[in-house]
Each structure stands twice: as structure tokens, then as C-alpha cells.
Amino acid sequence: MQQQTRNTGYPCTLICAVLLVLLSNGVSGQKQYSKARKLELREDVRRMFQHAYDGYLRHASNYDELRPLTCDGHDTWGSYSLTLIDALDTLATMGNFTEFRRAARLLEEKMDFDRDINVSVFETNIRIVGGLLSAHLLSKRAGVELEPGWPCKGPLLRLAEDVARRLLPAFVTNTGMPYGTVNLRYGVPKGETSITCTAGVGTFLIEFGTLSRLTGKTIYEDVALKAVLALWAYRSPIGLFGNHIDVQSGRWTALDSGIGAGVDSLFEYLVKASVLLNRPELLELFHEARAAIDKYMRKEDWYVWVGMNKGRVTLPVFQSLEAFWPGILSIIGDTEPALRTISRYIGVWKKYGFLPEFYNIAAGEASPNREVYPLRPELIESAMYLYRATGNEYLLEFGEHMLETLEFSAKTKCGYATIRNVVTHEKENRMESFFLAETSKYLYLLFDEENFLHNDGSGGELLSTEDDVCVVQAGAYIFNTETHPMDMSALHCCHAHNEDIYTSLDLQRFSPRAILERSKKRQVALQEQWVPQCHPENNEFFNKEDENVQAQDSGKEQEREQSGASTTMAVDIEVFDEFQQPAGDLLVSNFEQIREEREVNESLHRKVVTRNQLTVSDLDEFFAQRRESFASASEALNYVKTFMANYTMDVAFIQGLQLYDSNMSSVLGTGAQKEYESRMRTLWQLYELQQQYVANIRVIQGLGLLTFPADGDRIPSHLTEVLDSLDKSAHLEHIDPQDLETRVSNTSSPQLVNIRKVILKARNAYAIAMVNTSAMQEFAIRIYLSGTSEAGVRIHPLLEDAELSQEARKRPFKLAEERDLFSYARRIVDFRKRMAETVDRLQTLMQDIPPPKRKEATVDSQDANADASTVYTQTQAQVAAPAQKPEPSQEAKQSTQIQKGKLAENGSGLGEEESGCVWSQLVQTILRKTTVQRVKFDEAVLQENTRKALEKHARKELPHHLFACHRPEYIEGFAYRDFYPEAL
């Protein structure tokens, strides 16, 4: 068992090959899970939770968290029994209502948040406010004696509002984005830094929105919405968010953009809050943000870190916090890319038995000093969501594996410990509260398919309120980022939302007669205007592209004439690279290369292709040809080429007949498919482009470019040799193909011999394909079968193998053709090389940073003041607090430790595990604290300013498909409503 959970030592190429097989054939599990087996695993999860929960109650009930190795407790986020609040709704999820009622009563009687302590706004919101709200909404199911007016009233709801009101002073800023830290009694501390992380700005809508809907006080939802919209306004020109921002000025202070630490829950809340609060405009923001993420960060189903302004890769690593992303994709119904991505992440888990905080994608191993696994829930969260969406038992198999490794490597006599190193499985003396709030809950819900939290709104319970009758316990249950479920149905039982969507509607327009009349008029208008795209009379459609090209050309000529008359000035500029070496010549050559490529692309687009639509009779005549009809092989080849060059395929036909092999996208990416289907082409151009793709795939797979070598030191040199060989292949055009391999074998380096052999093999195969009339006939047959109902066509080969080789020798390669042949392979190699160089530089920087000194156990209480809203860039404390003599009382000791922690806080404040990173040094040396004078908090002023700021963000009409899949059933439903409204 130990060998299964630890690093197997398999080479990266083998693991990546297994992943490629999974991706190409569909991810599926090897085991079959009966209902009884799933219930057994569910009970195993219950025992795991109970062991950890009992250990916390027995040894650390007066502290925030349990220390599972020494079986004692310590305070981390605020000294308010954090784990008890965090685990409360997990008790209800598992049906332990007796303990739920006892713990809830204990919180009601003893919890007091009027304390002079500094807390993280982000962590206090998601853990305390979220936990209390969730427990309040689950009280009825747990059998708690409810007070009149529930769910709009209740002791736990009042506690949640008390905490949220103490967080409101953080939102009094110039931008509306909140500070990262507040004092629960006095508001924002004097001198508090105005720099906070992106997630710390955008992770309030679920908790504050729920609170507003239950209490009727709109200020909470308004300030949360204003913060998100303000953050959205400061995104980069290419649509990306940085990692840290100054909430007073809106200036980005950390420019790395990703979906992991410091940013993650912003995207999560855009999706979930749009559903919970019925705000589709938030989902529109998510789709816009995702488009930029997929364009710049997604690399072969991994997501890397890039610069927010240019989109260039800065850190090719996978962070364990990024594992939430497949779950979010499954919520919006995009399960296929979600499954591909989660299979990557599960592969990392199975390699080590756990997920390291940072996994170096380039090196295929855990990043140095980032091998810790603090029992995070993000991966099992995505597995639970995806299993609910797909029913794929591969995810159940992973859940069982995760449960086994936790039991084997993380369990202690009183709880479950953080894994300090995923390679050695060394333990650390900490059990964070989210292990009970999130990890255990998601594991339980994965195996408990009939749990009430899976309710989709199809059933509930009627509840009489003061004003009306509403439904509760119907769901859907929306989890906040700490996995505290909010009952969506209960939000409609209390105060009406401040925006009535029916007040501005003309109800007469929605009468059955009005809808029917509009539908008829719309149908008649469409029928009169519609012309098939393939119809010859549709000249406007086919000439539109040519007209646009001509207009662009004429505009450019006018610009040249005008610019020719102007006076130009020559300026000498010296350019240096990052190593202070002259780089002017390199820069000019790069510009020239870009200009040449742009001119080539423009010439291709300007090239007019005469439209000649292919018909079935044309193909029948083509298939009827025989070898004896031609005097020579060259004549037969010329006939086939002429035929294919004579007929064209429109974009709609290329897409509709699915001429592009979608399997190529797994190697070349989606850009190849877009290029293939971008414009009208002749059959010969389509065939030629397809063979170019095949040649590039042969090179990429033959050289193993989809994986990274295990020896990291040889990566840059290996990729440089590949690039040189791809470039030098253009000089082999005058050499006979039979002599090429002999000449290549004379090279001294065996590695270089292998590289050039692979390129030579792909080049020769492409040369054969360009004269292979049988392959061309098969390509035409594919079009014939896709466009007709014929069962099959028998082809008669026009050339024999010997004739193909002879014709291939007659066809010399042009220099430009040779250069462009392996453009995709060259692009991938160049990308891999830049990633490898980035990793090398980053590792060099990391080696120059001294390892952090281990803190004594007495310093752990400083974590009570750690600003968790800046989890990604918090630095090691450097300003030591002056020694103070502790008072005899325990309360005085805690106060002294709090003051020390506050004085030791520097930059954006980071946890112990985050010290020593590059961003820490950046914050530590550049981003110093700014002195901000705290003003007296006035809730009425904050509410008025927030309302004025939100007036310019009026809700606009959005397409229906934001919340629905593009499926025929959905379209038919709307058609039925439009044409037969009386039936509804």
C-alpha cells in the first residue's frame, strides 16, 4: 500500500502517454461501483470525519484549529473556535443532527464577536459568515427549535449579520474594493496596507447576497457587487486580472495572472452568485473572463500563469488551488474540457498520493519548497461536481484512492495532519478547518448520491410566513468557497429584492395573441429574406469577403500616399536585453520576420479563389477514371490535381461535412481547426493543408514534444537542436531523397541523428502524399459519403507504389514550402524552449533566496492576524516586535502575541508556508505599506455611496442561453411557447 501512495518514479513520458490515451479514448474508470459499495465508502468517510471532529473537541475546542501530532490546539484566524463553526453544516450533511443542535446552542450562548482583534476580511467572511448562514438555513432540517419568522429571523442569522456588519468598514475606500484586514471592534486599523489580493475583493457576493435577501438590508449585497464591478473595471486591456491590487488607487501591484492562489474564488463567485442571486450579468462577466483565460493561459488542458498585460507565460506551474476549475466548468455544462483537465490533475495526485502546492509542468515534478499538501479540497470538489454531471465512475475510483491515501499517510491518533512533503509523506503539525468543512464533505457527497444537498428544486416543504407561503429545503444548494451550502429556495421567503423585474414590463406584449402575431411576422420576414449560402444567386454572400479585402487594400494605398508626402525623421536607439547585452540587431530581425509573415498572410487572404461548387455528378465522373485512360503516371497525377484544384468548398460545407479530423487538435491545438475551417478553399488546398498537419504531427510525436524529458538540464539544448534541424531541413532540397539518410547518419551526435531522421521521415512521407492519387481519391470519397446517403464507393488506384516514388523524386521542394511545412512543430518547440528557459531562471532566483527560518511554536498565534485575503503574496515577517513581558492572565498573553504579529506583518502579509517565493521578495522590497488614516465608519454614508456607484451598472437584457445548454430540446421548448402560447 505504501508503494502505491508514494512517488512511483515512473518517467514523465510514460505518465503523459497514459494521459494521452485517456484523453483520446475518453476518461473512464476500471472499476464498477454498486450502490452497496458506494454506501460502504460513504460510511468510511463518515468515520474519517468523526475521528477528526472528536479529536478537535477533545483537545482543541477552545482554539481555532487542532494540532494533530501533539494533540493540542492553536489559534490561527481570530480565536473564535473556527473549526467548530466551519464543521457545523458538515454535521447536518452527514445526518448527525443531535451534535448539530448541541454545537449550535453552544455558539448561540457563548459566541461574542465584540473583540479587539484584527482578522482577515476574506477568511472571516467565507468561514464565519458563511458557516453561520449555512447553519441557520439548515436548522429546520436538523430539528432545531425555530423562532417565529424563520428563515428571516434566528439567533445564528443575527450572529452572521453581527460579523458582517463588523466587516463593512473595510469597504470604505476610494474604489469600493475592501481592505484585507479589519479590527472586529474598531474597524480598519491605522496604517493598514491598502494592497489586497484579487480574490479578497471578489469573494463576498454569496455570503453578503444571502444576508441581504434574508434580512432585507441591501447594503451587504450592494457593497459586494460594487467591489466586483470595480475590480472588473481595472482588468487589463486583454481581459486578465492581476494577483494583487491597491484598493485605494486601483493600481495593480502583482501583475501575474492565473486561476489559482489569490484569484481563484473570483471566478467561482461569478458563476455561483449569478445562479443564487438571479444575476445573469455576472455569468456574462465570467464567460468574458473565461475567453481570455482560454486564449492566454490554457496550454494543452493545463493552465499556466501569464503576464496580465501581454499574456506571455511567466510561471508554467500547476497550483493545487487551481483544481477547482473543472468543477466550475461542469456547473456551466462544459464537461468535456473539464474531464480532460481533471484527468491531468488526478495524474499528479496518483503520482504522489497527494497534490503538491506547486507542480512544475515543464519538469514534471513538484516544485522545490512547494511539496506541501494541507489537506486541500479543490480536487475532490471538482470530482464531485463532474460525477454529478457525467456519472463517470473514473471519478468514484479517484475518490476511493483519495480516501485510502488520507487514511494511510495523513491519519494520526487524534486527527489528520498536513503532508509537509508529498514525496516523502512527512507530516506537519496542523489540521486546517477546511478539512472538516470541505474535504470531508465533498468526499461524503461524492458517494452519497441521495443526500438532500443534491436536491435540484424538484421537491421542498411549504412554509407559512407573515406575508405569504413559500418553499424551503428545495435547493438548489449553492456552496460558497468554504463549502457552506446556501438554500436558494429560502432566499425567496423573506424580503423582496430591491429590484422588481416586472415593474418595467409591458404585460400586454406577453399575452398569447401578441406572442403569436409577432412569431408569425418574424417567420414570414425570415422566409422572404432567406437565400441558401450555396445558391449561385447569393452573390452578396460570396463576394462580401472579396469586397472587404479590396476596401482594405484601397485604404492602405491611400495611407501610403499620404505617408509618402510627410516628413520622416531617423532616430538612433540603443536596445539592450535583460542581460545588458546589445539587442538591436535581434530586435530588427524579429520585426522583419514578423513583417514578412504578415505580408505572406495578407497575400494568401487577397488571393481570389474562383468559386466552383462540387456536385455529386462531378464526383461520379472522377471515380469512374481508370489508369488505362492516361498515357503516363504524370498525366494521371495532373488530372487528379487539376480536378481537386478546380472545385471549392465553402466554410459551411467544410464544417458541416466535418472534413477536419478533430483528433489533430489534441496535438496541434484548436488553432489548426480554426485555420482549416476559416475560409473557402479548393479541394487541393484542403488536402494539402491536411497533409501538412499530418507531417507536423509525425515530427511532434516522433520527437516526443508533447512530453518533457525527465532530465531538466538537457531540455534547452535538446530543443535548440530540434529548432536548428527544422531550419536546416530547408537546405536539403537539391539532394536525392534516397541519399538524405546516409548524409544525416554521418553527423557526430547520436541525438542529432535521431532528430534529423524523424524530420526526414516526415518530410519524405509528405512528399509521397503530394503525389499519392489513392489518398486523394479517398479524400474525395470522404466528401462523397458525408454529403450523400450512399453506402460506399469502390476506388480504382490510378498509380502504383513504384510510380508514386518516381513522381515524388520529380517534385522538388521549394524553399518557402519547406520553411512553412513544419511551422506548427517549430512553434511548439519554440514555446517549449521559452517555458524551459523561464523555469531555469525561476529556479535560479529561488536558489538565491535563503530558506525561511522555522518559527517557534509560540509564534503560531501570529497566524491569528495573518491576512488570508493575500494568501498568494504574504511575506515572512522581518520586523521583529520588541520583547514584552507577558501578563499573568491568559487574555493578556494573547493580546501581547496579537500585537507582536501585527508589528511583524510586512507587505501584503503572507502565511508561513508562502515565505521565500519570488513574489514575496517583490512585495518585501518594493510594495511597502502605505499609511492610511482610519476615519469614523458611517454605514448610511457607505450605503448611499454604494447605491450611486451602482446606478451606472444598469442590468441589461441578456440572451437566454446564458443559463441553458444549446440543445434542440431547449430550442423546441421556446418554439412551442412562441407558436402555441395558449397551451401554456
Side-chain angles (χ1 to χ4, degrees):
M1 181 66 187
Q2 184 174 3
Q3 293 178 352
Q4 294 177 1
T5 58
R6 296 193 178 183
N7 187 352
T8 59
Y10 293 152
C12 175
T13 54
L14 177 59
I15 295 174
C16 295
V18 173
L19 286 174
L20 287 175
V21 173
L22 289 174
L23 295 177
S24 60
N25 299 331
V27 179
S28 60
Q30 298 178 354
K31 295 183 179 181
Q32 300 294 325
Y33 288 83
S34 63
K35 183 176 181 180
R37 177 55 180 160
K38 284 183 277 191
L39 291 178
E40 289 178 5
L41 293 171
R42 183 195 72 177
E43 294 307 307
D44 290 342
V45 178
R46 187 198 303 275
R47 284 189 287 271
M48 179 184 73
F49 169 83
Q50 200 63 45
H51 174 69
Y53 181 75
D54 290 342
Y56 170 76
L57 292 183
R58 187 177 299 113
H59 303 288
S61 59
N62 293 325
Y63 295 91
D64 281 343
E65 293 176 354
L66 169 73
R67 299 204 298 179
L69 298 182
T70 55
C71 292
D72 55 7
H74 68 148
D75 289 326
T76 53
W77 297 113
S79 187
Y80 30 47
S81 299
L82 175 63
T83 299
L84 182 63
I85 299 176
D86 240 358
L88 199 53
D89 51 35
T90 308
L91 293 169
T93 302
M94 297 184 178
N96 192 349
F97 297 139
T98 302
E99 177 60 20
F100 178 94
R101 292 192 294 268
R102 187 197 72 84
R105 186 167 54 253
L106 184 66
L107 292 176
E108 294 170 11
E109 295 173 354
K110 296 186 177 181
M111 193 55 63
D112 180 16
F113 294 101
D114 185 19
R115 306 172 62 182
D116 183 12
I117 57 174
N118 295 335
V119 299
S120 162
V121 179
F122 172 83
E123 295 290 347
T124 304
N125 172 61
I126 65 172
R127 301 186 189 221
I128 303 303
V129 179
L132 291 172
L133 285 173
S134 175
H136 164 74
L137 293 173
L138 296 176
S139 295
K140 181 176 177 60
R141 182 177 294 274
V144 175
E145 184 177 352
L146 305 176
E147 68 177 50
W150 184 93
C152 311
K153 297 179 182 178
L156 294 178
L157 177 61
R158 286 190 289 272
L159 278 176
E161 185 181 4
D162 178 41
V163 178
R165 187 184 297 111
R166 297 175 186 277
L167 301 181
L168 285 180
F171 291 85
V172 183
T173 62
N174 296 332
T175 62
M177 296 184 288
Y179 282 100
T181 302
V182 295
N183 184 284
L184 288 182
R185 180 175 293 173
Y186 300 113
V188 179
K190 182 178 180 180
E192 173 61 27
T193 177
S194 58
I195 296 172
T196 189
C197 72
T198 305
V201 174
T203 313
F204 293 91
L205 274 169
I206 291 180
E207 298 83 5
F208 277 31
T210 300
L211 193 59
S212 287
R213 303 297 174 93
L214 293 178
T215 63
K217 299 176 181 178
T218 60
I219 184 173
Y220 302 109
E221 184 174 344
D222 287 346
V223 297
L225 182 61
K226 179 185 176 182
V228 170
L229 296 177
L231 185 65
W232 183 263
Y234 287 109
R235 71 192 189 283
S236 73
I238 61 175
L240 298 179
F241 296 90
N243 199 270
H244 280 74
I245 192 170
D246 190 317
V247 299
Q248 288 289 5
S249 64
R251 177 178 61 90
W252 290 100
T253 57
L255 305 183
D256 293 285
S257 184
I259 61 171
V263 192
D264 48 0
S265 51
L266 166 66
F267 306 121
E268 177 185 2
Y269 272 43
L270 288 177
V271 173
K272 292 181 176 179
S274 67
V275 180
L276 179 68
L277 305 178
N278 190 25
R279 287 188 174 274
E281 67 271 21
L282 296 177
L283 192 58
E284 186 184 32
L285 298 184
F286 172 79
H287 285 307
E288 188 174 342
R290 185 195 172 190
I293 290 171
D294 286 345
K295 181 177 181 180
Y296 296 105
M297 302 181 197
R298 186 178 179 184
K299 308 295 181 184
E300 299 177 1
D301 299 319
W302 294 100
Y303 291 87
V304 298
W305 287 78
V306 300
M308 66 174 292
N309 292 317
K310 300 295 184 181
R312 296 175 180 172
V313 176
T314 59
L315 189 62
V317 300
F318 155 61
Q319 297 181 1
S320 61
L321 285 170
E322 297 171 7
F324 84 101
W325 187 254
I328 293 300
L329 295 184
S330 70
I331 292 177
I332 64 173
D334 204 359
T335 56
E336 291 186 6
L339 279 171
R340 292 197 299 268
T341 297
I342 199 174
S343 67
R344 299 275 193 181
Y345 299 166
I346 292 176
V348 178
W349 176 283
K350 290 185 176 180
K351 180 177 182 179
Y352 296 107
F354 299 102
L355 275 189
E357 287 288 78
F358 280 25
Y359 177 79
N360 191 318
I361 302 173
E365 60 185 16
S367 299
N369 302 320
R370 299 288 179 164
E371 301 96 342
V372 64
Y373 171 68
L375 310 179
R376 291 200 186 277
E378 284 75 19
L379 186 56
I380 193 62
E381 170 188 358
S382 289
M384 190 278 291
Y385 279 122
L386 272 172
Y387 178 69
R388 298 296 303 171
T390 65
N392 194 326
E393 294 193 344
Y394 167 72
L395 301 167
L396 292 179
E397 187 176 329
F398 162 68
E400 181 180 7
H401 183 271
M402 180 178 185
L403 182 60
E404 290 174 352
T405 54
L406 286 173
E407 287 291 321
F408 182 81
S409 297
K411 189 174 184 179
T412 69
K413 60 181 178 180
C414 57
Y416 291 82
T418 291
I419 302 301
R420 184 188 297 273
N421 190 308
V422 297
V423 179
T424 63
H425 285 204
E426 176 188 359
K427 297 182 181 70
E428 185 176 332
N429 194 19
R430 186 173 185 184
M431 185 184 79
E432 299 217 37
S433 67
F434 54 66
F435 176 72
L436 296 179
E438 301 187 71
T439 309
S440 300
K441 188 181 298 170
Y442 281 127
L443 265 172
Y444 188 87
L445 291 174
L446 176 65
F447 299 117
D448 188 9
E449 297 184 359
E450 298 179 358
N451 195 278
F452 70 90
L453 290 180
H454 294 316
N455 197 349
D456 58 359
S458 57
E461 182 178 342
L462 290 177
L463 178 69
S464 298
T465 63
E466 298 177 357
D467 302 324
D468 202 351
V469 176
C470 66
V471 179
V472 295
Q473 300 180 5
Y477 288 90
I478 306 297
F479 293 114
N480 80 337
T481 195
E482 193 73 8
T483 324
H484 295 307
M486 307 296 167
D487 183 3
M488 186 176 175
S489 62
L491 301 191
H492 300 279
C493 289
C494 301
H495 305 268
H497 187 44
N498 59 351
E499 181 179 1
D500 186 358
I501 64 173
Y502 298 104
T503 55
S504 59
L505 292 180
D506 182 3
L507 298 182
Q508 293 299 324
R509 287 178 51 82
F510 295 92
S511 65
R513 181 177 298 276
I515 292 176
L516 184 59
E517 290 178 356
R518 288 200 306 272
S519 299
K520 289 180 178 179
K521 291 179 181 179
R522 185 166 60 250
Q523 185 180 17
V524 171
L526 290 175
Q527 289 177 349
E528 291 176 350
Q529 299 174 1
W530 181 77
V531 177
Q533 292 184 358
C534 60
H535 199 281
E537 295 179 359
N538 194 0
N539 296 324
E540 181 181 356
F541 174 80
F542 292 108
N543 295 332
K544 184 175 182 181
E545 182 178 356
D546 297 337
E547 292 175 358
N548 293 336
V549 172
Q550 293 175 2
Q552 293 175 2
D553 292 342
S554 61
K556 291 180 179 178
E557 291 178 0
Q558 293 178 2
E559 290 179 1
R560 292 193 190 101
E561 292 176 358
Q562 295 175 359
S563 62
S566 61
T567 303
T568 59
M569 179 186 302
V571 180
D572 292 332
I573 302 177
E574 294 186 4
V575 182
F576 299 91
D577 63 10
E578 55 193 311
F579 303 106
Q580 300 303 317
Q581 299 296 323
D585 295 338
L586 179 62
L587 184 63
V588 171
S589 64
N590 289 339
F591 281 146
E592 289 294 329
Q593 182 180 358
I594 293 173
R595 184 180 60 80
E596 292 175 1
E597 292 178 354
R598 182 177 298 172
E599 290 178 353
V600 171
N601 292 333
E602 290 178 354
S603 64
L604 290 176
H605 285 286
R606 285 196 300 267
K607 186 177 181 181
V608 179
V609 178
T610 305
R611 182 179 176 277
N612 187 11
Q613 193 69 40
L614 184 67
T615 64
V616 176
S617 59
D618 296 326
L619 288 172
D620 289 336
E621 181 181 352
F622 175 69
F623 295 138
Q625 299 298 322
R626 300 293 187 270
R627 176 65 179 87
E628 53 269 17
S629 303
F630 303 99
S632 64
S634 299
E635 184 179 345
L637 177 61
N638 290 334
Y639 167 77
V640 176
K641 286 185 176 181
T642 303
F643 175 85
M644 297 184 70
N646 187 39
Y647 294 100
T648 57
M649 298 291 290
D650 296 328
V651 173
F653 283 104
I654 298 173
Q655 296 174 349
L657 299 180
Q658 298 181 351
L659 299 183
Y660 177 81
D661 188 356
S662 58
N663 293 328
M664 294 181 180
S665 296
S666 62
V667 180
L668 302 179
T670 58
Q673 181 174 359
K674 292 179 180 178
E675 179 187 12
Y676 193 84
E677 300 175 345
S678 61
R679 60 188 177 90
M680 180 177 67
R681 284 186 168 91
T682 64
L683 299 185
W684 174 252
Q685 290 173 336
L686 290 172
Y687 175 79
E688 185 180 31
L689 188 58
Q690 188 181 73
Q691 296 306 319
Q692 291 176 5
Y693 291 164
V694 172
N696 279 269
I697 291 175
R698 285 196 177 102
V699 171
I700 292 169
Q701 293 180 339
L703 297 178
L705 299 179
L706 293 178
T707 60
F708 288 90
D711 184 5
D713 296 336
R714 294 177 53 236
I715 293 176
S717 59
H718 172 73
L719 296 179
T720 301
E721 290 178 346
V722 173
L723 277 177
D724 292 341
S725 300
L726 288 173
D727 293 334
K728 291 178 180 178
S729 64
H731 300 288
L732 304 177
E733 56 176 334
H734 300 297
I735 303 176
D736 190 281
Q738 293 181 345
D739 300 334
L740 285 176
E741 186 170 350
T742 304
R743 297 202 179 192
V744 168
S745 301
N746 294 329
T747 356
S748 57
S749 170
Q751 183 180 2
L752 190 57
V753 170
N754 180 61
I755 293 173
R756 296 196 175 182
K757 281 184 178 180
V758 171
I759 297 175
L760 172 64
K761 186 176 180 181
R763 182 181 183 275
N764 288 342
Y766 175 75
I768 294 291
M770 290 295 97
V771 298
N772 191 347
T773 55
S774 298
M776 300 173 193
Q777 288 175 298
E778 292 174 356
F779 181 75
I781 287 177
R782 181 179 175 185
I783 298 174
Y784 184 79
L785 296 179
S786 301
T788 65
S789 57
E790 298 293 333
V793 178
R794 182 181 178 184
I795 64 171
H796 302 276
L798 298 181
L799 296 181
E800 301 296 334
D801 292 342
E803 293 176 315
L804 292 179
S805 300
Q806 184 178 3
E807 291 297 323
R809 295 192 193 98
K810 294 180 182 179
R811 182 183 182 276
F813 272 89
K814 297 179 181 179
L815 186 61
E817 182 183 5
E818 184 78 36
R819 186 186 302 113
D820 296 336
L821 175 59
F822 298 115
S823 59
Y824 274 92
R826 187 180 290 104
R827 192 180 310 166
I828 290 178
V829 173
D830 185 61
F831 171 71
R832 295 286 191 275
K833 182 181 177 183
R834 285 188 281 110
M835 288 184 66
E837 292 172 350
T838 302
V839 172
D840 290 342
R841 293 174 186 174
L842 182 64
Q843 290 177 344
T844 302
L845 291 173
M846 296 291 291
Q847 292 173 359
D848 295 338
I849 301 173
K853 297 181 180 180
R854 295 186 58 183
K855 296 184 179 180
E856 298 297 330
T858 56
V859 186
D860 289 339
S861 60
Q862 292 181 4
D863 291 344
N865 300 317
D867 184 359
S869 66
T870 56
V871 169
Y872 189 65
T873 61
Q874 187 175 5
T875 59
Q876 179 80 16
Q878 287 191 345
V879 183
Q884 300 181 14
K885 295 183 179 181
E887 299 294 332
S889 64
Q890 181 67 23
E891 183 177 355
K893 290 181 180 180
Q894 293 181 356
S895 176
T896 302
Q897 291 172 343
I898 289 170
Q899 293 175 4
K900 288 182 179 181
K902 194 59 190 177
L903 289 173
E905 204 174 5
N906 187 23
S908 53
L910 214 123
E912 184 178 73
E913 63 187 31
E914 297 293 333
S915 59
C917 68
V918 176
W919 290 271
S920 301
Q921 299 298 312
L922 176 66
V923 175
Q924 195 170 355
T925 56
I926 301 176
L927 308 179
R928 300 298 183 185
K929 279 189 176 182
T930 58
T931 302
V932 181
Q933 297 294 333
R934 181 174 61 86
V935 298
K936 184 178 180 180
F937 173 63
D938 190 329
E939 183 175 329
V941 174
L942 174 62
Q943 185 169 15
E944 182 63 25
N945 293 338
T946 302
R947 285 180 178 176
K948 290 181 179 179
L950 292 177
E951 287 178 357
K952 61 182 179 180
H953 298 285
R955 297 179 68 172
K956 57 183 179 180
E957 185 177 348
L958 299 173
H960 296 289
H961 64 261
L962 282 174
F963 284 110
C965 298
H966 295 277
R967 295 181 178 176
E969 293 80 5
Y970 177 75
I971 299 173
E972 290 169 3
F974 270 86
Y976 187 87
R977 181 201 65 186
D978 285 345
F979 291 100
Y980 304 97
E982 62 276 4
L984 302 178

